[in-house]
């Protein structure tokens, strides 16, 4: 339910990004907090589901990729950074689909590089929404985006055999 609420924040974020960036920032913060709350609750009550393991990272990708797309549309970040970030996520989703088709393994296993990348991307968006200059932070985010993609690609190739 919490993950679905995070997905539902995305259209509101888009609308307010165009009309009131302060409200859009608040919506983004709420969405990120629901992600944290969702993870904490899942660990506390030891509740892990296959659906949750798929929807949670998908909700993150939808929210963060939308934010980077909007930031690039306003020329707040370079277009190539947005393309790099979104391409990584598209490749990961397509890779997951390929692994599922070949192996019928539906489980999504986050890596430490993926978690670091998600934190860097989320915090980058937040800092940019606060209109802070974070050029070097963005480069670190891009580096981890590429590292995590390579890490997931290697793990995916191993799963397929």
């Amino acid at each position: 339910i919490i993950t679905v609420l995070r997905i539902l924040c995305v259209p509101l974020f888009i609308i307010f990004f165009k009309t009131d960036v302060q409200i859009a920032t608040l919506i983004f913060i709420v969405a990120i907090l629901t992600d944290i709350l969702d993870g904490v609750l899942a660990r506390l009550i030891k509740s892990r589901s296959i659906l949750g393991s798929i929807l949670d990272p998908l909700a993150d990708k939808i929210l963060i990729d939308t934010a980077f797309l909007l930031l690039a549309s306003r020329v707040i970040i370079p277009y190539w950074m947005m393309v790099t970030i979104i391409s990584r996520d598209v490749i990961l989703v397509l890779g997951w689909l390929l692994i599922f088709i070949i192996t019928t393994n539906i489980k999504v296993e986050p890596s430490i590089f993926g978690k670091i990348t998600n934190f860097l991307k989320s915090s980058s968006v937040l800092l940019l929404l606060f209109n802070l200059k974070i050029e070097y932070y963005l480069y670190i985010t891009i580096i981890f985006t590429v590292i995590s993609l390579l890490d997931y690609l290697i793990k995916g190739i191993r799963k397929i055999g």
Side-chain angles (χ1 to χ4, degrees):
I1 292 171
I2 296 172
T3 301
V4 171
L5 289 174
R6 189 161 71 253
I7 293 170
L8 293 175
C9 284
V10 174
L12 293 172
F13 176 73
I14 294 168
I15 291 166
F16 285 104
F17 186 85
K18 295 292 184 185
T19 60
D20 189 333
V21 175
Q22 290 178 334
I23 295 175
T25 303
L26 182 61
I27 292 167
F28 189 83
I29 291 169
V30 167
I32 295 302
L33 290 175
T34 63
D35 185 26
I36 294 167
L37 177 64
D38 193 20
V40 169
L41 284 176
R43 283 175 185 78
L44 283 177
I45 62 175
K46 295 180 171 94
S47 173
R48 296 194 65 126
S49 68
I50 292 172
L51 182 61
S53 74
I54 295 168
L55 279 183
D56 184 64
L58 191 59
D60 292 341
K61 287 169 184 34
I62 292 168
L63 175 67
I64 293 169
D65 289 352
T66 299
F68 275 103
L69 184 64
L70 293 171
L71 290 165
S73 75
R74 286 221 180 142
V75 196
I76 296 171
I77 62 164
Y79 185 73
W80 68 266
M81 283 186 177
M82 179 268 302
V83 170
T84 302
I85 287 167
I86 293 177
S87 295
R88 174 229 183 228
D89 291 343
V90 168
I91 291 167
L92 290 183
V93 170
L94 292 175
W96 176 84
L97 282 171
L98 181 63
I99 290 170
F100 173 70
I101 290 168
I102 293 171
T103 68
T104 66
N105 182 356
I106 199 166
K107 190 172 182 186
V108 176
E109 299 172 22
S111 76
I112 187 67
F113 293 114
K115 289 180 181 223
I116 293 169
T117 300
N118 193 48
F119 170 79
L120 289 170
K121 291 191 312 184
S122 299
S123 57
S124 292
V125 170
L126 195 54
L127 293 169
L128 289 166
L129 288 171
F130 281 116
N131 206 23
L132 298 173
K133 303 293 179 208
I134 60 164
E135 183 179 353
Y136 294 109
Y137 195 81
L138 283 170
Y139 285 112
I140 293 168
T141 301
I142 293 298
I143 290 167
F144 270 91
T145 297
V146 173
I147 290 170
S148 70
L149 173 62
L150 295 173
D151 182 53
Y152 281 122
L153 285 174
I154 292 166
K155 288 177 180 176
I157 290 167
R158 286 182 184 150
K159 273 190 179 183
I160 293 173

